C-alpha cells in the first residue's frame, strides 16, 4: 500500500528464507511450532506463491516502491514483536537431495539428472498428510533445480537432550521416504553437486533439454533443468539482466600430472603455487581484473602464508606495510576513515560512526599506485598519508613487527571520536627508526611471476551451477531478540570453520577443482552487481530506478559472508554507549542506503540493527509479482521486506518473528539460521555436525563465551576454507580467549589468567547448580560456568552484555592463527577447544548415559576429522576419482567415473558400503525403502490362500531371519 503520511510509518525486517527463494513464508519457519494444525499448515505454507512474475523492464518501475515499503514493513514488524521474550529453544535442520538416473548399456555407463523432483515431492507430501498423526514425519519443499528436493523434520526439535537423538533418526527417515518414491534406476545420494553438470550438452538430463534458452542464455546448461515454477526462471533472468551480462563463475582448476591446461604454463608443481605449507586462495567474487586481462579460462589466485597474504587488490599483487598514525598538529588526535580515495575531483567521503584510528595506533595497508598519497587498509577503508598541502605527515612507515603504543581503552560515541594527542617526538623516532632495521613484507600472490599467479579456471555461466548445489542448514529459535542477535554474531565466526570441516565439493562441471567448497560458486552464480557496483569502468548512465542508481560500490555478491555484526551489547556506562557501533570487529566496509538508515534511526531502531537493515537494502528486489506491489499492506504484511531479505544469502541469517494472520496461526519467535555447512554423504555425519552446532550454541550462552574477531579475519577464513584439504592443512584466525581474563589486562609483560587456565592448573571455581524440569534434562542456558556473576534485570550476565564492546585490553581481544585440530581440541592452557567445552557442558547438565553415548560418537568423529585421522567428503571424493581405473590424471571426470562415484556415495549413505576412511569405526545401519512408513496393526481379514501360505512358512519353525 502507498505510504500514508503518519508520524513514523513502522516497517518490518524478517531475514527468513534461507537459500530457497520462492515463498513469502519459508518452510524452515514451519517446524518451529507444535500444534494439531502442523501438517495442513505446513503443506499450505510450503507452496510457491501463485502469480505472474514481472519481467525485469516492468519490475524496474516498482523497485523504488518495494524498497521503501520493505523498510516500512520492517519497522512495523520490529515494533510489534521487539519485546517478545521467554521463548523455548526450538530448532531444526534442512537437507537437500539431488535425484539422478543411472543407465548402463553394453558396458557403457551414464548418469543423468532426473527432472522428476516436483512429481516426487508432491507424492511425498501427500503421504505425509495422510500420516500427519505420526510422532515423526518429514516436510518436502522444492528447490532451484528440477532434480532437487529439500526436506526438514515435520515438527521441531525441542530443548531436551532426548531431541538430540531424534536428529539422525529423522534424517534416516527422510532418506527412506525419498528412496521409496524413486524408480529402479534412480538414486538420491546426499552429494553437494552433480559432477557432470554443464558438460553433457542436451544429453545431461532425463528428459533431455536443449542447451541455452532465453532465461540463462547459457553455453553449458539448458533452461529446462530449472524448477518449472515461474519464480525460479524470473529470478535467474533478472539477475542476468540487472548485471548487464551473464554471471561469470571461474574456479581454479586442479593441477594433476596430465592436466592439459597446465602444459604451457611454467613454474607449476604438484602442490599449489604457494608451496606445500601454504593454502591456495581463491578470491571468489573479485575476479573482474583477471577476466578482463585473460578471459574466462583463467583466474588469479593467492596464498595464505601470512595474515597479510589474504589481502590484495583485485588482479595484482600488493605490498602490505605497517603505518603509524601520528597527526602532529595542535588539537589533531587521529584520522577519519574514508570509504574511497578522492576521484574525478570528488573529495573522499568520511565513514560515519566508525572506530577511527587514533594517534599511536598501527594500521596495515598498501599504497595505491593510481592515487598518490593514499593507502588502502586491510579493512577496505582508505587513509591519506599527509595533508593536502603536503606539509603534515599523517602516516609513518614502521617495521612490520612494531605494535601500537596506544593501550588506552577509549570510549566513543556515535558521532565524534575520542582521539589521542600525537605521540611525543622520542616515541615517534623510536618507531620510525626501527623501520630501517627491517624491510616490510612483500605479499604478492605466490611470490612468483604473474604467469604462476594465473591459473587455468573451470568456467561456468549460469545460476544453476551455484543454486544447483546441496547443503545442510540449521535454524534456532532464541529466547528473545538480543539472544538471536548475539548468536548471529557468534555463528558468523564459526561459519568458515564449519564449512572447511564439512567440505564436500571438489568436482565442478566435469573437472577436479583446486577448491573443496561450494560457497564461492554460488556467490558468483547469483552476482547481480553492475560493473560500477563491482568497481569496474561502466560506460552506462546511472539508472535512477535501481538501488544506488546501479553505481554504489558493493564489495560483495548477494551470496557471501556477513559484512556487519548485529549484537549491540551495552556497558556500565549505558547512557554514554547506548548508540555505539562496534567497529573494533566491524572492520570492513559496509555499504548502506543512507536514507533508509536515517529512517530506521528516526523510528528508534538502534544503530547496529539500522546499519544491518540499511546494508541489505542496498540490493534490489529480484522478483516482483503482478498484483502484489501497492496492494500489499505495509502494516500487517512483510512481502516486500522478504523480497529483498530472502535474496540476501549470507553465512548466517537473522529471522524476526513472521506476522500472524489469524488467532490460530502458530507462534514463531526470533531465530538465527546457520547456513555455511556442506552436505555429507551419510546421515550419521549430517547429524553429528547438526548436534555439534546446536550444543555449541548452548555452550556459548551457558558459559558466556565470546568468539568475536574482526570481520576482515572472518572473510579471510572464508577464503581459506575453500582451499584443498583446508580442514587439515589450513590455519584459521580464531579468538585466543573465549572468556574474560581474570588477572592483568594486556599480556605485555603482565601476568594474566583465564578461567580455563585456572582449571588446567587445578584452580577450579564453583560450578552453578543445574535446573531440571519434570525429570527431563534440558539444554539449559540459564547458568554460567565459573564463579557466579552479576546479571541484568532480564537475567543476562553482565559478561555477555559487554562482550561485543571489547572492553578488555589488547590481549583479551586478541586472536591468532590456529589449526582445525587446535580450534576443536584446544591449544596450551589459554584455549580449551570447542569439543572439551561441549563435554563440559554435557557434564554440567548431567547428560543421561544413552544420549552421552551417541554424543560421544559424534564428538569423537568430529575430533578425528579435525585432526586428519578421518577424511572430509571432498578429500574422499578426490581420492576416489584419482584412483579410478579410467582416470587419466588430467583433472577430467568422465561419465563412467561419475557413475561409479555417485553409486559409491549412494551405497555409503544407505549403509551398503563401508567407508572407514570417512567414518572410522562408525557403522551406518542399512536404510531400506521398505521401512519408509510405519505398518499398522491391521485387523483386515486375509483370504484362505494367504493363511495357508503363512502357515506353511512357519510350520517348520524357521527363524524370522531365515524367512526374510
Amino acid at each position: 500500500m502507498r505510504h500514508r503520511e503518519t508520524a513514523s510509518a513502522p516497517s518490518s525486517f524478517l531475514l527468513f528464507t534461507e537459500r530457497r527463494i520462492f515463498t513469502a513464508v519459508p518452510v524452515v519457519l514451519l517446524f518451529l511450532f507444535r500444534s494439531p494444525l502442523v501438517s495442513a499448515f505446513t503443506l499450505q505454507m510450503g507452496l510457491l506463491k501463485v502469480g505472474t512474475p514481472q519481467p525485469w523492464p516492468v519490475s524496474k518501475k516498482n523497485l523504488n516502491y518495494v524498497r521503501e515499503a520493505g523498510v516500512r514493513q520492517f519497522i512495523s514488524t520490529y515494533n510489534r514483536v521487539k519485546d517478545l521474550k521467554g521463548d523455548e529453544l526450538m530448532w531444526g535442520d534442512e537437507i537437500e537431495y539431488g535425484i539422478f538416473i543411472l543407465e548402463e548399456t553394453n558396458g557403457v555407463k551414464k548418469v543423468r539428472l532426473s527432472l522428476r523432483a516436483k512429481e516426487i515431492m508432491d507424492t511425498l507430501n501427500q503421504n505425509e498428510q495422510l500420516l500427519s498423526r505420526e510422532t515423526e514425519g518429514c516436510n518436502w519443499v522444492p528447490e532451484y533445480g528440477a532434480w532437487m528436493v529439500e526436506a526438514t523434520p515435520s515438527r521441531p526439535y525441542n530443548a531436551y537432550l532426548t531431541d538430540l537423538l531424534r536428529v539422525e533418526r529423522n534424517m534416516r527417515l527422510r532418506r527412506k521416504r525419498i528412496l521409496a518414491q524413486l524408480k529402479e534406476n534412480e538414486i538420491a545420494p546426499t552429494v553437494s553437486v552433480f559432477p557432470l553438470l554443464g558438460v553433457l550438452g542436451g544429453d545431461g538430463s532425463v528428459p533431455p533439454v536443449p542447451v541455452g534458452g532465453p532465461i540463462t542464455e547459457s553455453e553449458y546448461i539448458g533452461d529446462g533443468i530449472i524448477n518449472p515454477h515461474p519464480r525460479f526462471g524470473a529470478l535467474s533472468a533478472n539477475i542476468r539482466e540487472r548485471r548487464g551480462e551473464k554471471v561469470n563463475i571461474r574456479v581454479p582448476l586442479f593441477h594433476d600430472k596430465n592436466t592439459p591446461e597446465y602444459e604451457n604454463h611454467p613454474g607449476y608443481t604438484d602442490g599449489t603455487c604457494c608451496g606445500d605449507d601454504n593454502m591456495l586462495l581463491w578470491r571468489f567474487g573479485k575476479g573482474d581484473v583477471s577476466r578482463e586481462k585473460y578471459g574466462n579460462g583463467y583466474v588469479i589466485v593467492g596464498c595464505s602464508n601470512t595474515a597479510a597474504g589474504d589481502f590484495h587488490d583485485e588482479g595484482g599483487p600488493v605490498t602490505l606495510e605497517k603505518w603509524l598514525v601520528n597527526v602532529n598538529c595542535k588539537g589533531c588526535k587521529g584520522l577519519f576513515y574514508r570509504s574511497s580515495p578522492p576521484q574525478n575531483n570528488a573529495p573522499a567521503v568520511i565513514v560515519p560512526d566508525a572506530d577511527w584510528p587514533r594517534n599511536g595506533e598501527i594500521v596495515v595497508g598498501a599504497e595505491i599506485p593510481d592515487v598518490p598519497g593514499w593507502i588502502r587498509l586491510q579493512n577496505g577503508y582508505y587513509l591519506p598519508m599527509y595533508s593536502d598541502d603536503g606539509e603534515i605527515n599523517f602516516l609513518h612507515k614502521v617495521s612490520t613487527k612494531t605494535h601500537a603504543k596506544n593501550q588506552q581503552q577509549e570510549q566513543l560515541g556515535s558521532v565524534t571520536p575520542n582521539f589521542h594527542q600525537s605521540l611525543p617526538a622520542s616515541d615517534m623516532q623510536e618507531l620510525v627508526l626501527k623501520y630501517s632495521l627491517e624491510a616490510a613484507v612483500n605479499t604478492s600472490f605466490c611470490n612468483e611471476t604473474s604467469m604462476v599467479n594465473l591459473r587455468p579456471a573451470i568456467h561456468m555461466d549460469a545460476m544453476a551451477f551455484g543454486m544447483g548445489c546441496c547443503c545442510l542448514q540449521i535454524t534456532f529459535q532464541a529466547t528473545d531478540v538480543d539472544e538471536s542477535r548475539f548468536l548471529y554474531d557468534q555463528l558468523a565466526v564459526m561459519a568458515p570453520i564449519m564449512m572447511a570441516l564439512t567440505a564436500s565439493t571438489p568436482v565442478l562441471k566435469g573437472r577436479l577443482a583446486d577448491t573443496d567448497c561450494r560457497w564461492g560458486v554460488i556467490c558468483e552464480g547469483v552476482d547481480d552487481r553492475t560493473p560500477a557496483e563491482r568497481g569496474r569502468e561502466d560506460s552506462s548512465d546511472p539508472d535512477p530506478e535501481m538501488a544506488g542508481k546501479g553505481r554504489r560500490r558493493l564489495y560483495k555478491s548477494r551470496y557471501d559472508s556477513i559484512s556487519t555484526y548485529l549484537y549491540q551489547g551495552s556497558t556500565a556506562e549505558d547512557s554514554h554507549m547506548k548508540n555505539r557501533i562496534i567497529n573494533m570487529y566491524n572492520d570492513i566496509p559496509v555499504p548502506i542506503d543512507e536514507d533508509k538508515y536515517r529512517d530506521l534511526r528516526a523510528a528508534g531502531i538502534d544503530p547496529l540493527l539500522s546499519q544491518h537493515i540499511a546494508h541489505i537494502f542496498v540490493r534490489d528486489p529480484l522478483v516482483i509479482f503482478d498484483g502484489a506491489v501497492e496492494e500489499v499492506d505495509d502494516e500487517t504484511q512483510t512481502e516486500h521486506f522478504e523480497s529483498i531479505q530472502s535474496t540476501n544469502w549470507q553465512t548466517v541469517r537473522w529471522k524476526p518473528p513472521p506476522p500472524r494472520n489469524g488467532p490460530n496461526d502458530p507462534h514463531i519467535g526470533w531465530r538465527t539460521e546457520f547456513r555455511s555447512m556442506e552436505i555429507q554423504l551419510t546421515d550419521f555425519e549430517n547429524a553429528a555436525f547438526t548436534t555439534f552446532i546446536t550444543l555449541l550454541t548452548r555452550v556459548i550462552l551457558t558459559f558466556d563465551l565470546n568468539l568475536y574477531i574482526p570481520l576482515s579475519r572472518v572473510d579471510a577464513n572464508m577464503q581459506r576454507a575453500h582451499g584443498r584439504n583446508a580442514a587439515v592443512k589450513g590455519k584459521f584466525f580464531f579468538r585466543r580467549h573465549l572468556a574474560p581474563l581474570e588477572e592483568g589486562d594486556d599480556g605485555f609483560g603482565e601476568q594474566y589468567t583465564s578461567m580455563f587456565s585456572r582449571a588446567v592448573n587445578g584452580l577450579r571455581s564453583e560450578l552453578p547448580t543445574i535446573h531440571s524440569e519434570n525429570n527431563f534434562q534440558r539444554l539449559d542456558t540459564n547458568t554460567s560456568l565459573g564463579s557466579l556473576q552479576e546479571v541484568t534485570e532480564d537475567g543476562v550476565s553482565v559478561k555477555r552484555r559487554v562482550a561485543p564492546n571489547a572492553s578488555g585490553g589488547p590481549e583479551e581481544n586478541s586472536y591468532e592463527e590456529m589449526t582445525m585440530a587446535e580450534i576443536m581440541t584446544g591449544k596450551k592452557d589459554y584455549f580449551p577447544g570447542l569439543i572439551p567445552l561441549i563435554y563440559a557442558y554435557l557434564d554440567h547438565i548431567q547428560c543421561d548415559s544413552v544420549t552421552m553415548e551417541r554424543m560421544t560418537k559424534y564428538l569423537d568423529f568430529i575430533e578425528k576429522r579435525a585432526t586428519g585421522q578421518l577424511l572430509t567428503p571432498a578429500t574422499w571424493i578426490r581420492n576416489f576419482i584419482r584412483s579410478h581405473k579410467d582416470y587419466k590424471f588430467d583433472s577430467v571426470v568422465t561419465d563412467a567415473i561419475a557413475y561409479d562415484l555417485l553409486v559409491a556415495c549412494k551405497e555409503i549413505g544407505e549403509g551398503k558400503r563401508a567407508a572407514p576412511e570417512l567414518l572410522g569405526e562408525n557403522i551406518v545401519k542399512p536404510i531400506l525403502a521398505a521401512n519408509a512408513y510405519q505398518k499398522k496393526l491391521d485387523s483386515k481379514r486375509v483370504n484362505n490362500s494367504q493363511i495357508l501360505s503363512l502357515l506353511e512358512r512357519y510350520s517348520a519353525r524357521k527363524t524370522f531371519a531365515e524367512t526374510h
Side-chain angles (χ1 to χ4, degrees):
M1 299 179 67
R2 287 289 180 191
H3 173 45
R4 297 183 296 274
E5 293 299 326
T6 57
S8 90
S11 151
S12 81
F13 164 31
L14 280 84
L15 263 148
F16 58 75
T17 39
E18 33 315 310
R19 196 162 55 80
R20 261 187 329 275
I21 40 180
F22 52 85
T23 177
V25 180
V27 147
V28 72
L29 302 179
L30 306 176
F31 54 71
L32 294 181
F33 59 88
R34 174 67 169 155
S35 79
L37 301 174
V38 166
S39 73
F41 186 79
T42 299
L43 288 174
Q44 174 190 354
M45 301 308 287
L47 295 175
L48 295 174
K49 179 179 175 62
V50 177
T52 303
Q54 296 177 346
W56 183 246
V58 176
S59 66
K60 278 182 64 177
K61 297 179 173 58
N62 294 312
L63 297 180
N64 280 317
Y65 178 80
V66 170
R67 290 195 303 269
E68 295 290 337
V71 172
R72 294 197 296 269
Q73 290 171 8
F74 167 68
I75 297 173
S76 175
T77 295
Y78 183 79
N79 286 335
R80 184 172 64 249
V81 299
K82 63 183 179 182
D83 295 324
L84 287 177
K85 293 182 180 298
D87 281 329
E88 294 279 338
L89 168 66
M90 303 182 90
W91 54 289
D93 68 89
E94 307 160 50
I95 287 180
E96 295 158 351
Y97 302 85
I99 304 167
F100 314 112
I101 288 182
L102 301 174
E103 299 176 358
E104 186 171 2
T105 306
N106 299 323
V108 178
K109 296 177 177 179
K110 296 170 59 177
V111 58
R112 301 293 182 262
L113 300 175
S114 174
L115 305 184
R116 289 202 316 122
K118 184 181 185 303
E119 174 188 340
I120 291 171
M121 182 196 71
D122 289 345
T123 303
L124 286 166
N125 276 328
Q126 289 169 9
N127 292 341
E128 298 293 339
Q129 192 170 19
L130 293 173
L131 300 169
S132 60
R133 298 292 178 181
E134 287 189 3
T135 303
E136 203 70 75
C138 316
N139 186 67
W140 306 88
V141 296
E143 254 297 344
Y144 178 86
W147 71 96
M148 301 169 68
V149 177
E150 181 179 295
T152 67
S154 61
R155 66 183 180 93
Y157 310 130
N158 294 313
Y160 293 91
L161 279 166
T162 52
D163 281 57
L164 296 173
L165 302 178
R166 284 182 53 204
V167 178
E168 188 174 350
R169 289 202 303 264
N170 191 274
M171 290 178 176
R172 288 174 60 87
L173 180 65
R174 281 174 259 174
R175 195 182 294 263
K176 291 177 187 177
R177 291 187 173 177
I178 195 170
L179 289 178
Q181 302 307 320
L182 300 181
K183 294 180 179 179
E184 186 176 352
N185 63 339
E186 287 179 327
I187 61 174
T190 45
V191 293
S192 177
V193 68
F194 178 53
L196 300 182
L197 184 65
V199 297
L200 299 173
D203 187 34
S205 62
V206 178
V209 298
V211 171
I215 295 176
T216 63
E217 298 182 358
S218 174
E219 299 176 20
Y220 309 119
I221 59 102
D223 291 352
I225 69 169
I226 301 172
N227 187 296
H229 189 278
R231 180 169 185 124
F232 293 104
L235 184 75
S236 304
N238 290 349
I239 284 176
R240 175 177 53 77
E241 292 197 51
R242 190 190 186 282
R243 178 183 172 95
E245 61 178 351
K246 292 187 295 184
V247 296
N248 190 274
I249 310 165
R250 286 170 299 126
V251 182
L253 176 66
F254 176 68
H255 178 216
D256 217 331
K257 290 183 290 187
N258 301 323
T259 306
E261 290 86 345
Y262 284 93
E263 289 181 0
N264 298 320
H265 291 267
Y268 289 106
T269 65
D270 287 338
T272 70
C273 67
C274 302
D276 292 337
D277 295 330
N278 304 304
M279 297 297 298
L280 175 143
L281 289 180
W282 170 40
R283 293 271 291 176
F284 55 89
K286 303 181 186 300
D288 284 313
V289 172
S290 61
R291 180 190 172 201
E292 292 166 5
K293 290 183 178 180
Y294 306 109
N296 292 330
Y298 296 91
V299 64
I300 293 177
V301 299
C303 61
S304 58
N305 56 338
T306 65
D310 297 320
F311 172 74
H312 58 269
D313 280 333
E314 297 174 0
V318 299
T319 299
L320 283 178
E321 298 169 308
K322 283 190 173 182
W323 307 79
L324 171 70
V325 179
N326 197 58
V327 184
N328 190 12
C329 62
K330 185 176 181 180
C332 297
K333 299 182 179 181
L335 289 172
F336 292 104
Y337 285 135
R338 271 70 161 188
S339 58
S340 63
Q343 294 176 331
N344 302 324
N345 297 321
V349 178
I350 291 176
V351 179
D353 281 325
D355 194 0
W356 301 288
R358 295 102 166 125
N359 287 333
E361 293 188 346
I362 300 294
V363 296
V364 179
E367 296 186 56
I368 307 172
D370 297 337
V371 188
W374 286 78
I375 67 167
R376 181 186 172 210
L377 303 177
Q378 278 182 303
N379 64 11
Y381 292 135
Y382 298 83
L383 288 177
M385 298 169 64
Y386 39 75
S387 59
D388 291 342
D389 58 12
E391 294 296 321
I392 303 175
N393 288 333
F394 298 156
L395 301 176
H396 308 265
K397 194 178 296 184
V398 294
S399 163
T400 55
K401 292 185 178 180
T402 302
H403 298 287
K405 289 284 188 179
N406 173 11
Q407 304 292 345
Q408 182 176 336
Q409 298 173 22
E410 307 87 21
Q411 293 181 341
L412 70 136
S414 62
V415 178
T416 305
N418 180 17
F419 289 144
H420 294 290
Q421 300 291 346
S422 58
L423 287 179
S426 58
D427 286 348
M428 261 298 300
Q429 290 175 358
E430 177 187 354
L431 288 174
V432 175
L433 284 174
K434 283 184 178 180
Y435 180 73
S436 62
L437 303 177
E438 181 185 348
V441 174
N442 186 318
T443 309
S444 68
F445 281 11
C446 298
N447 298 321
E448 301 260 5
T449 67
S450 61
M451 285 299 291
V452 176
N453 301 335
L454 188 68
R455 305 298 298 271
I458 304 168
H459 176 246
M460 295 160 279
D461 67 351
M463 182 176 171
F465 287 103
M467 286 296 186
C469 295
C470 296
C471 65
L472 169 67
Q473 298 173 167
I474 314 169
T475 297
F476 305 97
Q477 179 172 270
T479 186
D480 57 24
V481 59
D482 277 352
E483 185 178 285
S484 69
R485 292 171 66 173
F486 184 71
L487 282 178
Y488 175 93
D489 291 358
Q490 306 305 300
L491 291 177
V493 177
M494 289 301 302
I497 308 302
M498 299 309 296
M499 186 174 76
L501 198 56
T502 58
S504 65
T505 318
V507 183
L508 296 161
K509 213 183 96 177
R511 305 301 299 273
L512 276 174
D514 213 6
T515 57
D516 274 0
C517 297
R518 81 201 187 282
W519 192 271
V521 180
I522 315 176
C523 167
E524 295 190 346
V526 299
D527 192 352
D528 70 334
R529 292 176 296 167
T530 65
E533 289 170 337
R534 301 197 304 271
R536 312 313 305 155
E537 293 293 331
D538 192 344
S539 59
S540 62
D541 295 329
D543 191 329
E545 295 175 323
M546 290 166 57
K549 299 181 180 180
R551 295 290 194 171
R552 181 191 287 116
R553 181 71 170 94
L554 303 178
Y555 296 92
K556 296 181 180 181
S557 164
R558 302 177 80 111
Y559 201 113
D560 214 314
S561 54
I562 70 166
S563 293
T564 175
Y565 286 123
L566 193 52
Y567 183 61
Q568 186 75 12
S570 62
T571 68
E573 299 85 6
D574 190 60
S575 60
H576 175 70
M577 301 293 287
K578 182 177 180 180
N579 292 328
R580 175 173 180 174
I581 293 180
I582 315 304
N583 282 286
M584 169 176 263
Y585 302 121
N586 282 336
D587 69 332
I588 60 176
V590 186
I592 64 171
D593 185 310
E594 294 82 1
D595 292 337
K596 304 295 187 298
Y597 180 82
R598 284 192 290 269
D599 291 343
L600 290 157
R601 294 291 291 120
I605 310 298
D606 64 75
L608 206 52
L609 183 52
S610 296
Q611 177 175 268
H612 174 79
I613 301 302
H615 171 59
I616 65 173
F617 271 77
V618 299
R619 314 286 179 176
D620 280 317
L622 290 174
V623 180
I624 298 174
F625 283 87
D626 283 338
V629 183
E630 298 182 26
E631 295 84 354
V632 177
D633 186 347
D634 297 341
E635 299 298 320
T636 60
Q637 300 300 314
T638 58
E639 184 168 334
H640 293 325
F641 172 80
E642 294 173 40
S643 68
I644 295 175
Q645 175 55 30
S646 65
T647 53
N648 272 265
W649 300 281
Q650 297 177 335
T651 47
V652 285
R653 177 171 288 160
W654 181 65
K655 303 179 177 183
R660 299 178 68 183
N661 297 317
N664 294 325
D665 283 358
H667 166 72
I668 300 171
W670 299 93
R671 290 141 300 132
T672 303
E673 182 186 16
F674 188 65
R675 302 170 33 79
S676 68
M677 289 194 294
E678 305 245 306
I679 195 75
Q680 306 295 284
L681 297 184
T682 69
D683 300 315
F684 172 85
E685 295 165 278
N686 287 318
F689 288 113
T690 298
T691 53
F692 174 86
I693 287 296
T694 302
L695 288 170
L696 183 61
T697 64
R698 302 306 95 188
V699 167
I700 290 169
L701 295 172
T702 302
F703 296 171
D704 277 331
L705 303 186
N706 174 1
L707 272 61
Y708 283 105
I709 61 173
L711 279 175
S712 62
R713 301 300 84 196
V714 175
D715 282 356
N717 284 345
M718 280 298 291
Q719 293 172 28
R720 294 179 174 201
H722 281 77
R724 182 155 43 90
N725 205 15
V728 176
K729 295 184 177 180
K731 287 189 175 182
F732 302 90
F733 297 101
F734 213 77
R735 190 178 181 93
R736 285 167 51 86
H737 304 291
L738 302 183
L741 301 181
E742 297 181 355
E743 298 175 16
D745 209 26
D746 301 325
F748 293 98
E750 295 187 44
Q751 180 66 40
Y752 63 88
T753 306
S754 70
M755 68 176 180
F756 300 121
S757 63
R758 288 172 59 84
V760 168
N761 294 298
L763 304 173
R764 298 190 58 178
S765 301
E766 178 185 357
L767 290 175
T769 57
I770 69 165
H771 295 261
S772 62
E773 195 174 286
N774 300 326
N775 296 321
F776 287 99
Q777 291 155 305
R778 296 172 48 81
L779 301 177
D780 207 347
T781 59
N782 293 326
T783 56
S784 301
L785 181 66
S787 55
L788 297 177
Q789 54 191 290
E790 296 182 26
V791 296
T792 55
E793 292 181 358
D794 56 0
V796 179
S797 71
V798 174
K799 194 181 292 184
R800 189 186 312 164
R801 282 295 189 198
V802 303
N805 287 334
S807 54
E811 174 62 31
E812 185 162 325
N813 292 289
S814 64
Y815 57 89
E816 68 181 49
E817 290 179 305
M818 296 187 191
T819 64
M820 188 68 72
E822 289 169 338
I823 292 172
M824 291 296 159
T825 65
K827 186 173 184 180
K828 299 184 179 179
D829 70 345
Y830 58 86
F831 185 80
L834 301 182
I835 290 176
L837 284 171
I838 290 176
Y839 275 122
Y841 171 77
L842 291 171
D843 183 50
H844 166 58
I845 63 173
Q846 299 180 0
C847 179
D848 65 273
S849 60
V850 175
T851 305
M852 180 62 87
E853 181 182 3
R854 174 54 56 170
M855 295 305 106
T856 299
K857 286 183 179 292
Y858 290 159
L859 294 173
D860 180 65
F861 157 73
I862 293 173
E863 179 177 335
K864 287 180 177 177
R865 180 174 286 187
T867 56
Q869 298 175 65
L870 297 178
L871 304 180
T872 63
T875 298
W876 184 89
I877 290 170
R878 191 183 301 275
N879 291 348
F880 181 95
I881 292 170
R882 298 189 76 235
S883 61
H884 194 279
K885 63 182 179 61
D886 291 343
Y887 183 65
K888 307 301 182 185
F889 296 94
D890 54 1
S891 306
V892 174
V893 180
T894 64
D895 229 331
I897 296 174
Y899 181 106
D900 291 342
L901 171 64
L902 291 180
V903 168
C905 293
K906 158 193 154 58
E907 292 174 347
I908 292 171
E910 295 174 15
K912 298 175 182 177
R913 175 175 177 150
E917 63 273 36
L918 267 176
L919 303 174
E921 298 177 355
N922 299 292
I923 305 298
V924 175
K925 294 181 180 179
I927 296 177
L928 303 175
N931 300 329
Y933 299 96
Q934 293 187 31
K935 303 297 190 296
K936 294 180 62 176
L937 297 174
D938 206 348
S939 60
K940 183 179 180 180
R941 289 188 175 88
V942 298
N943 57 43
N944 289 344
S945 62
Q946 289 175 308
I947 293 176
L948 290 173
S949 175
L950 290 170
L951 290 174
E952 289 173 357
R953 288 175 61 189
Y954 290 96
S955 61
R957 295 188 178 275
K958 293 181 179 180
T959 66
F960 185 83
E962 290 173 324
T963 57
H964 286 73

